[in-house]
Amino acid sequence: MKKSSFVAMMLGTVSGVLFALGMCMALLPEWNAFKPGVVFGIIGIVLGVITVFIWRKMEKKAPIQWNGRLILSTGFGILGALTLGVGMCFCLVWGNIVIGTIVGLVGILLLLALIPIVRGIQ
């Protein structure tokens, strides 16, 4: 394993755990930790963004070029992830298994559609 991949894996894992813990703290009323949860979530997001920049620097890649395609594909990915999350909420929180499964499958399909959008079909 390359050093850059190992560093990216470690930082990505820590940022993901911080973000997930922050969301649990903020969204579970039993924990009574909304404000610290928001702080943990923001720290996780910031560390995730920093991880991308560190990995690209270690791999000697060019900086990310912002264009319309990148912004639209990122928005499409966010929409797919949110749709999958809403489906999970329907199933696990609101107890509506049928609608939750359908919405979750739509979210999974949106995320799978992201692969040909980003990479293209050859």
Side-chain angles (χ1 to χ4, degrees):
M1 176 179 278
K2 292 179 4 181
K3 185 178 180 180
S4 61
S5 298
F6 180 74
V7 169
M9 181 179 66
M10 289 294 123
L11 288 173
T13 301
V14 170
S15 68
V17 167
L18 284 174
F19 178 73
L21 180 62
M23 291 301 98
C24 287
M25 290 169 68
L27 297 176
L28 292 175
E30 297 88 17
W31 289 18
N32 197 22
F34 181 78
K35 288 181 182 178
V38 171
V39 171
F40 270 62
I42 290 172
I43 291 171
I45 290 172
V46 169
L47 187 58
V49 171
I50 290 171
T51 300
V52 172
F53 289 115
I54 289 173
W55 179 78
R56 290 188 71 84
K57 181 116 174 144
M58 290 179 79
E59 288 286 320
K60 295 178 178 47
K61 293 188 179 239
I64 297 173
Q65 299 295 323
W66 295 93
N67 56 25
R69 182 177 178 189
L70 176 69
I71 293 170
L72 286 176
S73 61
T74 302
F76 193 78
I78 291 170
L79 176 69
L82 286 175
T83 305
L84 177 59
V86 167
M88 290 175 65
C89 285
F90 268 110
C91 289
L92 300 173
V93 177
W94 301 317
N96 198 337
I97 303 295
V98 175
I99 293 176
T101 303
I102 293 169
V103 172
L105 286 174
V106 170
I108 291 171
L109 290 175
L110 288 173
L111 291 173
L112 286 174
L114 194 60
I115 296 169
I117 289 173
V118 172
R119 294 286 180 188
I121 299 176
Q122 299 172 349

